[in-house]
Amino acid sequence: MSTAPERPMKVLVYSDDADTRAQIKMAIGRRPAADLPKVEFVEIATQPAVVERLDRGDIDVMVVDAEAQPAGGLGVCRQAKDEVYDCPPVLAIIARRDDGWLATWSRADAVVSLPLDPMAVARAVADLMRRRVGDRLPAV
């Protein structure tokens, strides 16, 4: 019997490239871990649309493509962390391991480098989903 909450968790996937968004979604899967609810994906291709969607306050986890154009995912992450109240945790997908320092600057909560390892992506998203669930539990 599953102990996962019934409501799906919304995962925003930001990239200007539809193939990249599809690869990220495939790596995460419908349920990245048995103890978590299913995932509902929100695909977004532009920075203004990310800001608009985050302002709704219904996103649980955000995954950003550092190579997105014209607004890179790390800049989008930094803006969200600076401007969005209760910003969801963010997984940054970077092209080069050496870009890890940029991910730190962006205040990403987790980082995975290309080529995508589906296990690493699913594990990172699952950890961020658990963090989000924990953040929303009432204090005892």
Side-chain angles (χ1 to χ4, degrees), residues 81-137:
K81 292 291 187 173
D82 286 346
E83 298 177 3
V84 175
Y85 173 75
D86 195 26
C87 184
V90 180
L91 169 63
I93 307 292
I94 59 175
R96 296 160 300 279
R97 276 212 150 119
D98 291 344
D99 288 344
W101 72 273
L102 282 171
T104 300
W105 167 85
S106 75
R107 299 192 356 232
D109 299 280
V111 181
V112 174
S113 33
L114 294 173
L116 287 182
D117 172 356
M119 296 295 288
V121 173
R123 187 172 36 254
V125 169
D127 289 346
L128 296 178
M129 289 172 71
R130 287 183 192 101
R131 179 186 304 181
R132 190 63 165 182
V133 168
D135 288 347
R136 299 224 166 150
L137 292 176

Side-chain angles (χ1 to χ4, degrees), residues 13 31-32 54 66 81 91:
V13 179
R31 177 175 273 158
L54 288 176
K81 292 291 187 173
L91 169 63

Side-chain angles (χ1 to χ4, degrees), residues 20-97:
T20 299
R21 291 192 309 269
Q23 289 174 23
I24 292 168
K25 287 173 39 184
M26 189 177 307
I28 295 168
R30 295 299 300 148
R31 177 175 273 158
D35 65 315
L36 293 168
K38 290 183 179 177
V39 169
E40 180 181 316
F41 290 104
V42 177
E43 292 186 58
I44 297 187
T46 67
Q47 179 270 343
V50 170
V51 172
E52 180 181 317
R53 186 56 195 250
L54 288 176
D55 283 344
R56 291 187 198 176
D58 66 340
I59 298 298
D60 295 298
V61 173
M62 184 165 64
V63 180
V64 297
D65 170 15
E67 301 301 307
Q69 295 294 324
L74 299 179
V76 169
C77 175
R78 176 71 182 223
Q79 179 183 9
K81 292 291 187 173
D82 286 346
E83 298 177 3
V84 175
Y85 173 75
D86 195 26
C87 184
V90 180
L91 169 63
I93 307 292
I94 59 175
R96 296 160 300 279
R97 276 212 150 119

